[in-house]
Amino acid sequence: MKQWYMVIDVATCQDCNSCLMACKDEHVDNEWPDYTEAQPRRGHYWIDVHRHERGQYPRIDVSFRPTPCQHCEDAPCIKAGDGAVRRRKDGIVMIDPERARGNQDLLTSCPYGAIFWNSEKKIAQKCTMCAHLLDSENWLPGVPRCVHNCPTGSLKMVNVEQAEMNKIVEAESLTVLRPELRTKPHVFYKNLHLCEKNFISAGVLIDEDCFEGATVTLKSHGTVCAMEATNCFGDFKFDGLDNGEYVIEIDAGGITVSETVKIDNKSLNLGFIRL
Amino acid sequence: MGEEVRLTNSTTGGPVFVYVKDGKIVRITPMDFDNTDAPSWEIKARGRTFKPPRKTTLKMYSAGFKSMIYSDKRILYPMKRKDFNQDGERNIKNRGKGLSKGDPLADYERISWEEASDIVVSEVNRIRSEHGPSAVLSTPSSHHLWGNIGYRHSAYFRFMNMLGFSYADHNPDSWEGWFWGGMHMWGFSWRLGNPEQYHLLEDALKHAEMIVFWSSDPETTGGIYSAHESTIRRFWLKELGVKMVFIDPFYNHTAGLIGDKWFSPKIGTDHALSFAIAYTWLTEGTYDKEYVEKNTHGFGEWAEYVLGKTDGIPKSCEWAEKETGCPACDIRALAREWAKKNTYLAAGGLGGWGGACRGSHGIEWSRGMIALATMQGMGKPGSNMWSTTQGVPVDTDFYFPGYAEGGISGDCENTAAGFKFAWRMFDCKTTFPSPSNLNTASGQHIPRLKIPDCIMDGKFQWSGKGFCGQDIAHQMHQYEYPAPGYSKIKMYWKYGGPHMGTMPASNRYAKMYHTDDLEFVVSQSIWFEGEVPFADIILPACTNFERWDISEFANCSGYIPDTYIQCNHRVVSFQSKCIEPLGESKSDYDIYAMFADKFGFGPMYTEGKDELGWMEQYYNATDMPKYMSFEEFKLKGYFVVPVNKEQEKTVALRWFAEGRKKDTPDWGPRLNNQIDGKGLQTTTGKVEFIATSIKNFEEQGYEDEYRPAMHTYVPAWESHHCELAKKYPLGMLSPHPRFTFHTMGDGKDSFMNDIKDHRVLVDGYYYWIMRMNPVDAEAREIEDGDLIRAYNDRGSVILCAQLTERLQPGTVHSYESCAVYDPLGAPGKSADRGGCVNILTPDRYMSKYGCGMAPNTAQLEVEKWDGGTYEIY
């Protein structure tokens, strides 16, 4: 059977929160019987945009990771829910408001922090992928509200058989959050390295002028990891790096320099390298 | 239970489908087009075909609009200040009293519409009979809720012009530097100094190699009103390999999304950067000499100045590094790349604009932008001033007016009604416009920026009447308050309450209400916020989702002719009354119609029509009937204007670069401002590096230190240069807010407050954010999330600190336009914890005769907040 998957591209999310606005518009003050109770007006982030800043002024970047319920195939909340949380055949994980009432443990069961407590109704609530709309023929956009509102295409829905999804994951190098948990999320990410890995960047100067076209080689344990030419500002940027020691070798028209740097959970702006 | 129905409406952030059930709004979404809607345009460039998506986009504040409709800050019935007695003690000093106790509502009691309107009518009539109509001051907020009938240029002016009033003119706050400076260099007065942008999208898709976004963040501002329509177009350019450079003290949201290189000049120093770029081009001979020779005036003398031959200071990259904090090598590299590559200068969000134009260096920054674009041959293929937000090939022949074209007022003096619309709308046999006799250049009017000064000091002098772009020199006209022969102001009929968050040095606006001469204050507003709790009588208005109206996506028109060329499709909306007005609130039109009756000019105001009646008349004055009847339009709810394949693609300023007659659909210059249809609007028809208009003015005795005739490096009067910086070392950038449209969307218990980068919840209170570099934070022992007091001699604001590398040390960032004014003690004197950072910005005019505001350069200090109220007197 076809499954619903969400694919989120971190590189094109700009923290506009149109997704959060759409989610609140759809769920605050609106009850969807058989799906979910109304969302409280304040404090619930059924899709939560995490900010991640890297580097130091002025060589920085800022990325955003929208995080809804991951709709896991092996969802910890299902185990903690004692029958109150179920996975529909189409892959959407739903909390039954009646059966889950009073069970605050559901919140801590989720490793992604995607479940929220409705203190007035004493229920745990979360993203339903707008299942009430996906199930309705009258809903012409055919996607959840957050996806419909997204102005950059960062959020996309895919409705395919599992085998087909495996091919997409392979072809587009999609990853999931915290794969080590083996929860098998139905939310996949593109460019997650922007939030989870680091970069090294600097500008190359010769005679106080930016040097374009210098060859910069990045090595780790003697092996070349990447090569880049500096741009018109003399800048280079190696991204997607794990923690560890790296050697940077610069060749600017025959003038060479090499520098050893260490990444320790932090991206590095090395400033200007004068040759 | 009723059926869910899908209606249509529109907002400042895009047109919408509105799903309504049982008299309640269920959801608000962008519009998806269907097969019955006109096909979209296509652009072929560099081997690709570009087509826009078949839907509209929506801004965050529009996506969350439902929470502003159903908000506990809605005013649901008329109210009277409890200790205000129009026949006895007015207790003027008690205005705003409840604010200091955190309970402004406690000052008020509910009254009926009958009682409220009786008090207003008797007070207005008393004041008019004692002092004349000029004693009644009125002004609305800049941006009304969307809809051309209910808009302030329309229903409001129609009423106020009949009643008679002194208008507080809005300064061209989005344009400022372009208006007071740029216009003197290249004209475009009908655009208040901004350039035309026709067909630049195709030009850029074909030719662009680099775009320099300077004080430009279209992902935040979306140009204006056009939501995220241009986002996809920037992605296209990015995919084509176009290099994106950003110059902005703050690493802004567009930079974050697509930027390749970021320059962060210190606050108030952007123009040092532009001079250094020009210096590099001059010394390296890499500017378009032939173009400059043919198309400029005063360039030679200016070039000598740039090179330092006249003042001994070469404006070199090393010189600029000291001014701006940006490395000289980077500036030089940018200058060289710019000269080498086909470069578009996105100066501001709309081909012009930009926060820098609202700094104390705004005049020279704007002129600097024009200088750079000129030196690289603007108008030639691949070279222009263009902000990626306009220039879409939609049909500009199809006539549908924007809100600034006056709607039902037909006021040709204070709106753009006189361009076309009034003559199509009013036959002057059965239906008539409502011109003004008082709100004219020769009547009485005051500047909005100086309302408190006029009220508290009783006199004021300034230059220019608001948005005066009929001709370049109009802004040089001198005015005074009171105008000769007119009465001083005795009452204020305010529409909306945003000034505390939007006007500079805004404590003035709170203090003003305690002036004894201001005998009576009415506030007509949708929400109980900002300065509304200073009023004696409060009249509840409703939102545009509770009334009928008609409009087009991002079409304001007026001083932004053909604004809709920002949108991927022209979309005209039938704005349905989706629900009944909440409580006893009424539409503005119904409020004015009711008052018109009581003042005795009801039939003249309404001509027997309700809003739907006016809408039909309006509709028939546009080109819409060529496609469908009003009834059909009402049923369909929206209309996508078809692409006009016959229309010639005339590129902005190409005619100028090629020395041809102007061929774009632009609204100016007037015939008398050109010779043989060629050239710019300036006296010489050229780009004037030494402005003839300012030189004339100087010769007439109006010397202006901060606006010399020649484009000059005048250091910003509030920046790291000034004496004040010793006491207040941090420069604050306060750009347009990211998630709200000015005050629209903030406060009001709206959904937007939950956006983590908008407000931060600390101990149960949603605080406004101030962003600062960790270096500055550490020096003050401030940590991320701390509550801080930002202060200077103008006041104090309590904010939540966000530590970020998105600013260079020495610069802090906090958005303007907070809707919440929450003084901890006496209003106008104590610290505000709502977040009105404009309390800290200067109210000084940009220059002596350049009467624009400069809130984007403010010096201040920051410390951890100790819980004090910090009253200053």
Side-chain angles (χ1 to χ4, degrees):
Chain A
M1 174 167 181
K2 282 188 177 176
Q3 304 275 298
W4 282 108
Y5 300 92
M6 189 183 281
V7 178
I8 299 176
D9 187 353
V10 173
T12 53
C13 175
Q14 54 155 314
D15 191 36
C16 71
N17 282 272
S18 297
C19 50
L20 179 68
M21 293 299 97
C23 180
K24 292 174 88 75
D25 182 63
E26 187 64 27
H27 291 286
V28 174
D29 286 337
N30 288 335
E31 262 177 48
W32 303 113
D34 300 333
Y35 294 92
T36 179
E37 297 252 19
Q39 185 183 113
R41 190 169 176 112
R42 299 251 80 97
H44 277 213
Y45 294 85
W46 293 10
I47 184 158
D48 192 0
V49 186
H50 292 258
R51 185 174 86 239
H52 192 78
E53 210 173 287
R54 303 188 304 171
Q56 299 80 40
Y57 168 82
R59 289 184 184 82
I60 63 159
D61 59 31
V62 185
S63 298
F64 304 94
R65 192 195 78 203
T67 313
C69 162
Q70 302 292 296
H71 296 277
C72 311
E73 286 178 20
D74 285 332
C77 61
I78 294 181
K79 294 182 190 107
D82 197 19
V85 185
R86 70 190 169 95
R87 203 171 155 266
R88 305 192 337 169
K89 284 181 185 159
D90 60 5
I92 300 177
V93 176
M94 300 289 286
I95 298 176
D96 181 325
E98 283 313 314
R99 298 180 66 180
R101 203 170 297 276
N103 185 357
Q104 207 160 349
D105 291 343
L106 285 177
L107 272 68
T108 44
S109 76
C110 177
Y112 305 101
I115 304 179
F116 298 85
W117 187 245
N118 183 329
S119 55
E120 189 193 326
K121 291 177 183 156
K122 306 275 184 289
I123 46 169
Q125 290 182 289
K126 66 164 196 69
C127 159
T128 64
M129 271 193 187
C130 288
H132 65 291
L133 293 175
L134 298 183
D135 290 351
S136 162
E137 284 179 2
N138 296 329
W139 175 241
L140 299 178
V143 292
R145 289 292 310 281
C146 55
V147 176
H148 186 236
N149 259 28
C150 178
T152 64
S154 170
L155 306 183
K156 283 200 175 77
M157 290 302 283
V158 180
N159 190 223
V160 291
E161 301 282 345
Q162 186 143 21
E164 181 62 23
M165 190 63 204
N166 291 342
K167 282 186 212 159
I168 296 173
V169 168
E170 178 83 22
E172 300 188 20
S173 310
L174 304 181
T175 50
V176 295
L177 289 183
R178 303 187 64 185
E180 73 280 6
L181 299 175
R182 299 178 193 283
T183 51
K184 296 187 192 160
H186 269 214
V187 176
F188 287 88
Y189 288 90
K190 237 185 232 186
N191 293 309
L192 203 52
H193 69 276
L194 294 167
C195 300
E196 298 190 339
K197 302 214 171 172
N198 286 297
F199 70 73
I200 299 170
S201 181
V204 175
L205 300 187
I206 288 186
D207 295 336
E208 290 307 304
D209 262 332
C210 302
F211 191 89
E212 183 174 4
T215 306
V216 189
T217 311
L218 182 78
K219 287 183 178 170
S220 169
H221 303 295
T223 316
V224 175
C225 322
M227 276 177 84
E228 226 182 69
T230 56
N231 66 17
C232 67
F233 298 103
D235 285 348
F236 65 86
K237 182 178 184 179
F238 294 111
D239 201 352
L241 305 180
D242 293 317
N243 282 348
E245 206 171 80
Y246 293 89
V247 176
I248 292 164
E249 293 174 0
I250 303 171
D251 181 340
I255 311 172
T256 59
V257 72
S258 118
E259 205 171 302
T260 303
V261 293
K262 198 175 164 195
I263 290 189
D264 183 14
N265 294 315
K266 221 170 104 176
S267 289
L268 297 177
N269 166 15
L270 303 176
F272 290 114
I273 299 173
R274 290 176 164 82
L275 267 69
Chain B
M1 294 282 274
E3 281 293 296
E4 189 176 280
V5 292
R6 194 190 77 183
L7 303 173
T8 49
N9 209 295
S10 195
T11 71
T12 49
V16 288
F17 288 150
V18 188
Y19 294 74
V20 179
K21 191 178 176 185
D22 298 326
K24 188 179 153 233
I25 293 173
V26 176
R27 73 175 66 86
I28 296 174
T29 76
M31 286 180 170
D32 294 276
F33 303 145
D34 60 37
N35 293 337
T36 65
D37 297 316
S40 311
W41 46 266
E42 288 182 8
I43 292 177
K44 288 187 168 47
R46 299 189 225 192
R48 282 183 59 181
T49 302
F50 298 96
K51 278 188 272 189
R54 297 283 293 162
K55 65 184 283 197
T56 63
T57 51
L58 200 56
K59 268 289 176 194
M60 321 49 150
Y61 45 84
S62 296
F65 208 119
K66 197 176 80 176
S67 61
M68 294 193 276
I69 300 165
Y70 301 111
S71 155
D72 61 5
K73 293 287 180 197
R74 280 291 297 271
I75 303 165
L76 295 177
Y77 37 77
M79 295 192 288
K80 185 176 88 69
R81 194 159 58 82
K82 284 175 187 166
D83 59 6
F84 170 79
N85 179 355
Q86 71 276 16
D87 301 318
E89 186 49 62
R90 289 172 185 254
N91 289 307
I92 282 168
K93 294 283 186 282
N94 286 348
R95 286 186 186 139
K97 187 180 65 178
L99 277 170
S100 57
K101 296 175 187 152
D103 188 11
L105 212 50
D107 286 353
Y108 291 91
E109 61 191 8
R110 179 178 180 170
I111 56 173
S112 67
W113 267 108
E114 194 59 28
E115 194 183 345
S117 56
D118 281 349
I119 294 171
V120 173
V121 170
S122 71
E123 278 296 282
V124 170
N125 283 341
R126 175 186 67 78
I127 286 165
R128 292 199 302 176
S129 61
E130 288 171 10
H131 308 282
S134 65
V136 180
L137 170 70
S138 184
T139 202
S141 358
S142 290
H143 305 273
H144 222 110
L145 295 192
W146 208 243
N148 293 354
I149 305 295
Y151 213 82
R152 63 183 173 88
H153 293 88
S154 178
Y156 170 81
F157 271 158
R158 184 172 180 87
F159 174 78
M160 284 295 172
N161 288 350
M162 288 181 179
L163 182 72
F165 73 131
S166 291
Y167 186 55
D169 275 301
H170 298 189
N171 46 304
D173 42 16
S174 295
W175 290 263
E176 298 297 17
W178 301 91
F179 179 79
W180 303 102
M183 192 196 292
H184 298 286
M185 192 158 180
W186 67 356
F188 286 112
S189 75
W190 62 96
R191 292 176 173 271
L192 302 179
N194 272 7
E196 59 173 8
Q197 300 278 282
Y198 299 100
H199 291 291
L200 286 171
L201 174 62
E202 181 166 337
D203 199 55
L205 286 171
K206 284 180 172 161
H207 305 293
E209 294 172 300
M210 182 162 85
I211 300 177
V212 178
F213 292 84
W214 200 321
S215 195
S216 178
D217 186 11
E219 291 302 339
T220 291
T221 59
I224 187 167
Y225 304 132
S226 66
H228 289 285
E229 290 291 282
S230 58
T231 303
I232 181 109
R233 299 173 333 229
R234 281 184 294 280
F235 281 156
W236 292 341
L237 290 157
K238 184 85 184 158
E239 286 160 23
L240 290 172
V242 177
K243 200 172 283 178
M244 307 289 187
V245 175
F246 286 81
I247 304 175
D248 189 326
F250 178 58
Y251 182 78
N252 68 39
H253 306 279
T254 315
L257 188 61
I258 58 166
D260 294 306
K261 181 74 180 176
W262 169 48
F263 290 76
S264 168
K266 286 180 189 165
I267 298 291
T269 66
D270 298 75
H271 55 326
L273 213 58
S274 70
F275 269 101
I277 293 168
Y279 176 91
T280 307
W281 293 344
L282 285 168
T283 52
E284 299 185 354
T286 49
Y287 64 100
D288 191 333
K289 297 185 196 77
E290 192 188 330
Y291 181 98
V292 163
E293 174 69 28
K294 200 169 66 179
N295 293 312
T296 65
H297 169 77
F299 183 84
E301 193 178 321
W302 178 76
E304 300 270 287
Y305 163 77
V306 176
L307 295 171
K309 291 183 181 166
T310 41
D311 67 347
I313 304 169
K315 314 299 175 295
S316 67
C317 297
E318 282 69 22
W319 164 84
E321 175 174 324
K322 290 194 191 97
E323 294 290 295
T324 62
C326 299
C329 56
D330 278 347
I331 304 173
R332 195 157 37 240
L334 174 63
R336 287 174 178 163
E337 191 70 1
W338 192 329
K340 224 187 301 175
K341 295 272 163 67
N342 286 341
T343 303
Y344 291 71
L345 173 55
L350 206 70
W353 287 9
C357 86
R358 277 182 298 282
S360 52
H361 62 315
I363 288 172
E364 298 306 341
W365 172 71
S366 304
R367 292 208 280 189
M369 296 302 96
I370 298 165
L372 297 185
T374 302
M375 288 177 79
Q376 294 302 333
M378 65 179 177
K380 291 184 170 180
S383 174
N384 224 304
M385 197 182 285
W386 177 62
S387 297
T388 69
T389 47
Q390 296 190 72
V392 171
V394 291
D395 186 7
T396 48
D397 283 346
F398 179 87
Y399 182 69
F400 191 91
Y403 69 62
E405 286 177 79
I408 67 169
S409 80
D411 182 341
C412 294
E413 187 133 9
N414 300 292
T415 79
F419 179 63
K420 278 179 186 167
F421 189 59
W423 326 111
R424 298 172 67 132
M425 175 79 178
F426 300 100
D427 64 11
C428 292
K429 293 178 211 156
T430 60
T431 179
F432 299 86
S434 170
S436 178
N437 59 324
L438 292 179
N439 183 17
T440 71
S442 310
Q444 173 154 291
H445 49 88
I446 63 170
R448 176 172 66 178
L449 280 175
K450 300 293 179 180
I451 294 172
D453 308 66
C454 291
I455 300 283
M456 292 190 286
D457 303 339
K459 59 178 191 228
F460 195 73
Q461 281 189 311
W462 71 98
S463 302
K465 183 186 186 301
F467 281 52
C468 53
Q470 294 250 348
D471 202 12
I472 293 174
H474 277 203
Q475 59 170 258
M476 286 155 163
H477 203 85
Q478 301 298 298
Y479 294 100
E480 60 185 322
Y481 167 78
Y486 281 102
S487 158
K488 282 190 182 174
I489 287 155
K490 297 288 176 189
M491 72 159 279
Y492 190 11
W493 189 328
K494 179 78 185 74
Y495 190 98
H499 287 171
M500 290 309 300
T502 57
M503 293 292 114
S506 40
N507 269 335
R508 297 177 299 143
Y509 288 82
K511 284 180 192 155
M512 159 188 99
Y513 284 106
H514 289 173
T515 310
D516 285 334
D517 254 9
L518 194 61
E519 297 169 5
F520 183 54
V521 178
V522 186
S523 190
Q524 181 172 330
S525 182
I526 300 168
W527 297 284
F528 192 66
E529 62 180 9
E531 70 202 273
V532 174
F534 288 96
D536 302 323
I537 297 289
I538 296 172
L539 306 173
C542 68
T543 71
N544 57 309
F545 289 87
E546 298 150 72
R547 59 172 164 83
W548 304 102
D549 217 317
I550 184 169
S551 65
E552 182 182 350
F553 189 5
N555 187 357
C556 58
S557 185
Y559 283 117
I560 319 175
D562 306 318
T563 7
Y564 52 77
I565 65 170
Q566 296 174 93
C567 301
N568 291 328
H569 303 84
R570 289 191 70 175
V571 183
V572 182
S573 295
F574 181 90
Q575 295 186 226
S576 281
K577 181 180 186 176
C578 299
I579 55 169
E580 287 301 316
L582 296 193
E584 291 181 10
S585 67
K586 291 175 189 283
S587 72
D588 295 324
Y589 180 79
D590 284 345
I591 291 172
Y592 295 132
M594 178 198 71
F595 276 111
D597 251 345
K598 293 203 165 196
F599 283 116
F601 55 84
M604 280 74 91
Y605 185 72
T606 65
E607 297 179 351
K609 283 169 282 213
D610 57 12
E611 283 157 320
L612 271 167
W614 281 109
M615 276 165 71
E616 187 163 3
Q617 180 178 332
Y618 189 97
Y619 183 89
N620 289 325
T622 73
D623 280 349
M624 282 295 294
K626 288 181 185 170
Y627 288 94
M628 57 175 79
S629 70
F630 184 65
E631 282 309 310
E632 287 167 328
F633 178 58
K634 189 176 173 183
L635 209 61
K636 166 91 179 170
Y638 69 98
F639 176 67
V640 179
V641 178
V643 173
N644 180 351
K645 292 199 170 130
E646 307 299 307
Q647 203 170 31
E648 210 184 322
K649 290 181 177 172
T650 50
V651 181
L653 288 164
R654 181 70 38 86
W655 54 275
F656 181 65
E658 294 178 355
R660 290 185 281 109
K661 287 191 180 186
K662 186 161 182 173
D663 59 359
T664 59
D666 201 10
W667 290 18
R670 296 285 183 103
L671 295 175
N672 54 36
N673 276 139
Q674 279 186 316
I675 291 171
D676 193 25
K678 293 179 184 172
L680 299 173
Q681 185 195 14
T682 53
T683 306
T684 58
K686 299 178 177 184
V687 181
E688 297 191 344
F689 285 73
I690 299 172
T692 315
S693 44
I694 300 177
K695 218 170 170 66
N696 289 345
F697 201 43
E698 282 178 352
E699 283 164 8
Q700 288 155 4
Y702 297 90
E703 287 276 346
D704 195 337
E705 183 188 352
Y706 286 94
R707 187 177 60 178
M710 186 169 79
H711 169 39
T712 305
Y713 185 70
V714 185
W717 45 253
E718 184 149 340
S719 65
H720 72 94
H721 285 284
C722 66
E723 194 56 30
L724 197 65
K726 289 179 187 153
K727 194 172 168 194
Y728 299 117
L730 299 172
M732 178 176 72
L733 186 77
S734 54
H736 292 328
R738 164 77 163 150
F739 302 104
T740 66
F741 190 64
H742 297 279
T743 61
M744 222 181 265
D746 179 49
K748 309 170 190 60
D749 196 24
S750 79
F751 294 161
M752 281 61 83
N753 299 305
D754 266 347
I755 298 177
K756 292 175 184 170
D757 205 34
H758 181 64
R759 281 184 180 270
V760 179
L761 187 63
V762 182
D763 300 334
Y765 193 87
Y766 285 88
Y767 287 90
W768 199 253
I769 297 169
M770 176 165 271
R771 293 161 187 83
M772 60 195 304
N773 188 286
V775 171
D776 294 324
E778 200 177 327
R780 293 161 179 80
E781 294 179 349
I782 291 167
E783 288 179 22
D784 193 72
D786 279 352
L787 294 183
I788 54 173
R789 176 173 82 104
Y791 64 98
N792 56 22
D793 292 341
R794 301 174 190 116
S796 299
V797 186
I798 311 305
L799 302 152
C800 182
Q802 183 190 98
L803 272 46
T804 178
E805 298 282 345
R806 299 172 78 165
L807 297 154
Q808 73 158 296
T811 300
V812 293
H813 169 288
S814 188
Y815 292 116
E816 57 96 25
S817 280
C818 146
V820 182
Y821 176 54
D822 189 5
L824 294 164
K829 292 160 187 164
S830 61
D832 161 50
R833 71 164 179 169
C836 296
V837 294
N838 259 315
I839 285 173
L840 308 171
T841 60
D843 62 329
R844 177 174 159 180
Y845 277 146
M846 303 188 108
S847 77
K848 191 170 179 189
Y849 300 106
C851 296
M853 68 185 197
N856 233 339
T857 43
Q859 293 297 128
L860 50 83
E861 183 50 286
V862 168
E863 64 180 17
K864 262 174 113 153
W865 181 43
D866 63 2
T869 57
Y870 293 95
E871 294 198 11
I872 49 170
Y873 291 88

